[in-house]
Structure formats: structure tokens, C-alpha cells
Amino acid sequence: MKSRQRNRAGPPGRWPGPGGRPVDPARAGGQTQIMSVPTLQWLDPPRGPAVALLDQTRLPAEEGVVTCENVPELVDAIHRLVIRGAPILGVAGAFGVALAACRGDDVAAAARLLSEARPTAVNLAWGTRRALAAYQAALGRAPEPDHQNPDPQRLAAGAALDEARAIAAEDAAASVAMARHGLGLIPEGARVLTHCNTGSLVSAGGGTAFAVILAAHRAGRLTRLYVDETRPLLQGARLTAYEAQRAGIDYAVLPDSAAAGLLASGAVDVVLTGADRIAADGSVANKVGTYNLAVLAHYHSVPLVVVAPVSTIDFGTATGAEIVVEHRAAWEVTTLGGQLLAPAGSASYNPAFDVTPASLVSALITERGITQPVTTGNLRLLSAPPPRRKSAPADVSVEL
Ligand code: MRU
């Protein structure tokens, strides 16, 4: 199935989206821990160059694949949330640059399109920028074309692809490290509440908050996972429940509005979420509803812990107030599965994210360690390049 823009202007005819093909077993692989289809896969010729995506709009009903053969198709897939979640958007942006380079397209223009596809998840622009820089540096270094090296453009495309692969590998390694650090914060018999979706579907590895949850499950520490359904697009009910079920986790899906009562009943030991952008002051932009949970958790003295790679920290955004929050189409709120939930023509208020102040975040788990409290100074310490060592471990533990 090729990715084609179909429904940017309106809802899919049914939920999940229309069409779809059975999964191509040749594309099923071991990239992610618990999916039978990789979240994102680069395809070399003759099947590519292309980026193949597990279509998250169809989950959990169907594991369809969307193959993007050019950047506008990939941008469309990002808009429609075929692929979503901060870390994998960074990987997707980088592979998008490689795709443009391999096709001989205008790479800088493609990078601009990709960076702007979604404004809040900072990883998208970050990954795109990294691959573009690798491409441009390789082009600058390339010798004049001769018979040994007839095509500098091809060399540069290879550099962009290498960079995209490096970003994916770093993301997978970061998941492992975040899970390891995070496990230390999870008590025996823990009952965890989570919001949105943060597992293999958002990462080239095991994800962010869900990687910690999975580690706790595997360590026998998790008694129960509570999954906020995450209105309006149900990333919790559709995607996190899907990941939890496949991992054999004991989980329960709840309406977002039930979280207050659940927390009041004392049934939650820790709230774990991911992040789409962390401003320099420690404010956390994440899926809309995270701020509700943070206020509730604070009121009920339950820790709210954010799990995110260092690439999600954005020192270019000084405060939470400066974070650009994406607002999405009305139909996401006013319809479900193609059925009207509100009178036709209703206006909507549909921010995809909200911003939680650092004061409500008990701890931040990154691949480099845990920071507690979340302050600008501690974020700067975490983000400083790790000291060079001969064995160069990717994660330097800086528990603060
Ligand atoms: O709109 P989405 O589905 O892309 O939002 C994703 C989230 O809010 C996740 O919680 C976030 O990216 C952090 S974990 C990767």
C-alpha cells in the first residue's frame, strides 16, 4: 500500500482508516521488541528507496504498512499520525532527509517540510537537522567528480542515510538505558498509571515510559498498569493497550476522566509519561491530559515521573509558555469511527498537547540518568556531552 494523502481535510470513513492490506511477511522483522511489523523500516532498492511505516491509525485492528516513496508522502503520514511519538519522529525525519537525498530531490526544502510537519515534538526537527547536516557536510567534503567517484551527491545521500541509522541506533540504546535507570524508581508490586503511548511504536527501541513499565513487568515488580484511553485519538486504548497485551502485562484501560477517582482511591503508586518537548525551565509538553494528571497526582501525593531521551530537551525554548502547541482538526474531537459525537458543524478546541510545569514533575528519567528536581541547572548537567572515554559508554549515569 502506498501512502497517499486522503483524509487531511476530514475523518476516515471508519475507525480504523479505510482500505488496508494484509501484512507483508517479508517486511515483518525484529526491529522492535513486541511488534510483528517494524514501526519504521528503510527500504533499499529495488523495493526503495522508501520508508515503510506500520500504520498506527489502524491499530489495534490491523497491522497495515504504509510505504512512503517521497517526502510529501512521509509528511502526510506524519500529519495523519501513521507514525507518531517524539523519538520515532526524530528517526523518521532523518530517514526522510535520506529519502530526499537518494531521490536527488531538493534536500534542504525536504528537510524544511519534514521539520514543520508537526510543531511540538522537538525530536522531529532535531533528527531532520542532524541528517541534513550530515548530508551537507559530506557534500562539502566530496572531491570533484572523477571516474573513481562520479557522483558526490550519492556519497552525501549515503552520509544522510548513515546518520539516520545512527539516530535509530542511539534511540534504541537510549530506551535500554532509560529502562535501566527508571526501574530503580519503581517499587515492588507497583501500580502504574500512564497516558498516551510510549512504547515500541514511538521508538526504534522499547520506547520511553513504556520501556520502564516493561522493565518493571519483566522484573516482576508491576502489579497493574492503568492505561488512560487518551482522548481524542485514543493512543492509550488503541496503542498502549495493544503493546501491554502483547507484552503480557496485566492492564486496565480507563476513561481519562476516571483518573481522578483512581488516584483518590490510592490505587496508583506512580504516574509515568513521556514527553514531546522539555523546555529549558523543565516544563514538559506531552499529550493533552498530561497536565490534568500532573495536577491530580500532586494533589494526591503520587509521583509523576517523565521518561524522555536527552534529545527531547530543548534549550532553544526557554519556558513552557514558549512551547508551540499543535492544534488539530475538529473532526478528531467531534467524531469517532466516522460517527458524529457532536452536532455537525460544532467548533472544537483540540490541542494535541499540554504543558506541565517542572514543579509538578517529580523526576525526569533520561538515558543519562535521573534528574530530581527538574531544574534548568540539572537539565544542563544532563545534556552536557558525556566525557570521552576509551570504551565510550553511551549512557553516563548522573543521578542528581
Ligand atoms: O500526538 P502523538 O500521538 O504523537 O503524541 C505522542 C505523545 O504525546 C507521547 O506521549 C510522546 O511523544 C512522548 S513518548 C514518546
Side-chain angles (χ1 to χ4, degrees):
M1 181 191 348
K2 306 292 184 204
S3 165
R4 298 277 181 260
Q5 176 67 48
R6 290 271 185 263
N7 62 348
R8 197 181 294 179
R14 60 190 172 86
W15 190 278
R21 264 196 212 160
V23 173
D24 171 7
R27 289 182 181 164
Q31 183 192 353
T32 55
Q33 291 175 9
I34 54 175
M35 304 305 149
S36 49
V37 179
T39 300
L40 180 154
Q41 192 179 22
W42 172 261
L43 302 180
D44 278 319
R47 287 197 291 159
V51 179
L53 306 172
L54 169 61
D55 186 350
Q56 299 191 26
T57 67
R58 295 168 190 275
L59 291 173
E62 181 185 313
E63 290 184 346
V65 174
V66 169
T67 302
C68 306
E69 294 179 347
N70 56 50
V71 166
E73 288 182 355
L74 181 57
V75 167
D76 171 49
I78 292 171
H79 275 303
R80 293 192 297 115
L81 311 191
V82 167
I83 185 158
R84 40 143 303 278
I88 199 70
L89 286 176
V91 176
F95 276 110
V97 169
L99 180 59
C102 289
R103 288 171 46 89
D105 293 342
D106 179 339
V107 179
R112 226 174 6 259
L113 266 183
L114 286 159
S115 296
E116 291 168 1
R118 292 193 74 193
T120 307
V122 70
N123 303 61
L124 176 59
W126 168 85
T128 303
R129 214 167 36 240
R130 261 184 69 171
L132 178 64
Y135 169 83
Q136 288 172 335
L139 211 52
R141 278 194 311 268
E144 284 299 308
D146 59 25
H147 65 282
Q148 263 190 326
N149 173 34
D151 191 354
Q153 166 76 28
R154 208 170 138 178
L155 269 183
L161 190 53
D162 287 348
E163 189 69 6
R165 289 189 166 125
I167 291 171
E170 287 167 28
D171 180 38
S175 293
V176 173
M178 287 186 284
R180 195 175 66 239
H181 293 305
L183 188 56
L185 290 185
I186 307 298
E188 279 304 328
R191 296 149 313 158
V192 175
L193 171 60
T194 193
H195 191 68
C196 197
N197 172 256
T198 59
S200 304
L201 292 169
V202 301
S203 168
T208 59
F210 194 82
V212 176
I213 290 164
L214 199 55
H217 167 65
R218 288 179 175 157
R221 281 190 208 176
L222 187 69
T223 301
R224 164 56 69 96
L225 175 65
Y226 289 104
V227 178
D228 261 4
E229 62 174 352
T230 315
R231 279 280 296 154
L233 295 179
L234 306 176
Q235 285 94 331
R238 293 188 304 108
L239 307 178
T240 301
Y242 170 80
E243 292 186 320
Q245 189 172 73
R246 294 176 69 114
I249 290 173
D250 179 356
Y251 71 93
V253 179
L254 60 142
D256 300 339
S257 46
L262 184 73
L263 283 156
S265 75
V268 176
D269 302 300
V270 57
V271 180
L272 283 178
T273 75
D276 283 84
R277 184 184 297 241
I278 300 172
D281 69 351
S283 302
V284 172
N286 192 50
K287 178 53 57 194
V288 67
T290 303
Y291 178 45
N292 304 33
L293 277 188
V295 172
L296 287 168
H298 182 71
Y299 183 80
H300 295 292
S301 304
V302 173
L304 177 126
V305 175
V306 172
V307 188
V310 165
S311 53
T312 303
I313 303 172
D314 175 24
F315 287 103
T317 302
T319 66
E322 288 169 39
I323 296 176
V324 177
V325 171
E326 174 186 4
H327 282 252
R328 295 183 59 89
W331 68 261
E332 293 183 351
V333 176
T334 57
T335 67
L336 191 66
Q339 301 295 316
L340 277 178
L341 292 180
S346 295
S348 82
Y349 172 68
N350 186 20
F353 304 97
D354 58 25
V355 178
T356 297
S359 57
L360 295 180
V361 179
S362 310
L364 169 66
I365 298 169
T366 72
E367 69 274 35
R368 304 235 181 111
I370 300 170
T371 175
Q372 210 173 6
V374 182
T375 59
T376 306
N378 283 348
L379 290 181
R380 286 211 180 275
L381 269 178
L382 267 182
S383 305
R388 282 190 176 278
R389 300 182 193 177
K390 277 202 181 113
S391 55
D395 57 305
V396 178
S397 181
V398 288
E399 295 206 15
L400 301 164

